[in-house]
Amino acid sequence: MSTLKGRVAIIGGASKGLGKGCALSLAGEGVNIVLCARNQEVLEATAEEIRALGVDVLPLAGDMADAAFNERVVNETIARFGRIDILVNNSGGPTAGTFRSMKEADYDKAYQGVLMYVIRMTNLCVPHMEKGGWGRIINITSLSVKEPAETLVLSNVFRAGVVAFAKSISKDLIRHNITVNNLCPGAFKTDRAKELIQKAAEAAGKTPEQVETENQAKLPLGRYQTPEELGAFAAFLCTDIAGGITGTTIQVDGGISNGLL
C-alpha cells in the first residue's frame, strides 16, 4: 500500500472507535491525517498516538453536523497540506428507537448528522480531489442499509440515503479517478455498541455484561470485531490497486448478514 504515502485524509468521528481505526490504518501507510471529533481532550490524545507513527496530524474539534465546521475542516486542511486525497465520512449513529418513539425533531437531527453531513463534505472535498486527479471517499454506514432493524428506524432511513447518494455520484466521479464506497460494520466493540448493549440490558432487566456475553454467543465469528479490522479494509480501498472498486456497499461483519447482496 505504499502508493498512499504522503496523501492526506480527512476522517470524521476519528478520536475513537471506527474512525480511529481508519486513522491508524491510513497513518500506518504514511497518510497525513486530519482528525475530526467533538471531544477536544480525546481528540488530542488520539492525535499524539497517530503522530507517533511518523505522519503529520491536524486535530480539529467540532460537530460534523455543523455546516460551518465542515467548511472550516476543508479550509484548514488546504491551508495546512494544500491537498485533500481521502475523505472518510463517519459519524455516531442516530438515536435508537422504533418509528412510534420518534418525533419529527429526531428525524431532522439524524438527517443533518448522518446524511446531509456526508453530502456536504463530499461536495466540499471533490473539487480538491479533481484538481489532484485522484480521490477516495469512504462512507462508514451500517448493516441497517441492507437489513433494516425495527429498533433503528433513523439509521435505516438516513444511512440508506448515504448509500443511494454514493451510487448516484459514483459514475461521474470515477471519470476523475475518484472512487466512492460504503462500508457496513457488523458487531464492533465501539461506544455505539456499548450504548445499544446498555439499552438492551435495561429493557431485559439484565446486566450489560450478560447481554454482551449473549450477543457474542450469537455471532458467527464468536466475538466482536476490532476497529482496526475495518480500518485495514478502508485503507485497502484507498490504494491504487482498488481504483476500480466504486459505487459498492460492502459489509465487514464477521458473517452476520443473511442477504445475498
Side-chain angles (χ1 to χ4, degrees):
M1 298 184 186
S2 59
T3 56
L4 295 178
K5 187 175 178 61
R7 295 200 181 276
V8 174
I10 296 175
I11 305 176
S15 64
K16 55 187 177 180
L18 299 178
K20 181 180 178 180
C22 291
L24 287 169
S25 292
L26 287 169
E29 301 300 330
V31 177
N32 298 312
I33 306 293
V34 180
L35 291 173
C36 305
R38 285 177 289 189
N39 189 309
Q40 180 78 51
E41 184 177 352
V42 178
L43 187 66
E44 291 293 345
T46 300
E48 286 304 311
E49 185 177 344
I50 294 174
R51 284 192 187 100
L53 298 175
V55 299
D56 196 358
V57 181
L58 173 62
L60 297 173
D63 187 351
M64 293 303 279
D66 178 48
F69 181 64
N70 293 161
E71 293 180 2
R72 178 191 161 203
V73 167
V74 171
N75 290 339
E76 292 200 24
T77 299
I78 292 301
R80 175 74 160 266
F81 298 106
R83 61 192 295 170
I84 297 171
D85 303 295
I86 298 165
L87 170 64
V88 179
N89 287 313
N90 174 57
S91 62
T95 302
T98 68
F99 88 99
R100 295 185 185 280
S101 65
M102 292 299 145
K103 308 300 182 186
E104 187 170 334
D106 296 318
Y107 285 91
D108 290 339
K109 182 178 180 180
Y111 166 67
Q112 289 295 333
V114 177
L115 176 55
M116 193 62 225
Y117 140 63
V118 169
I119 295 171
R120 187 183 300 116
M121 285 300 295
T122 300
N123 286 338
L124 289 169
C125 291
V126 162
H128 298 287
M129 293 177 177
E130 289 178 333
K131 183 178 179 181
W134 191 96
R136 299 289 185 266
I137 301 169
I138 297 173
N139 303 315
I140 309 300
T141 59
S142 165
L143 280 179
S144 66
V145 305
K146 295 195 172 188
E147 298 179 13
E150 182 181 358
T151 57
L152 296 175
V153 65
L154 295 178
S155 182
N156 299 342
V157 171
F158 294 109
R159 293 200 190 282
V162 169
V163 169
F165 174 68
K167 189 65 174 180
S168 299
I169 65 176
S170 60
K171 289 185 179 180
D172 180 328
L173 296 186
I174 195 65
R175 298 186 181 99
H176 303 276
N177 201 24
I178 301 169
T179 66
V180 54
N181 293 288
N182 312 295
L183 294 183
C184 304
F188 283 77
K189 192 65 179 293
T190 63
D191 283 355
R192 172 65 165 171
K194 293 174 185 176
E195 175 192 340
L196 295 177
I197 288 170
Q198 181 65 42
K199 285 181 177 290
E202 291 171 359
K206 299 178 180 178
T207 67
E209 291 75 19
Q210 287 175 313
V211 172
E212 181 176 343
T213 298
E214 291 170 1
N215 287 351
Q216 291 191 100
K218 297 174 185 176
L219 297 174
L221 191 59
R223 64 170 175 81
Y224 284 95
Q225 292 180 263
T226 67
E228 289 74 20
E229 290 178 80
L230 186 88
F233 193 75
F236 165 71
L237 286 177
C238 292
T239 61
D240 285 341
I241 200 170
I245 303 173
T246 194
T248 65
T249 300
I250 305 166
Q251 59 260 38
V252 184
D253 68 352
I256 293 174
S257 59
N258 296 310
L260 294 177
L261 300 176

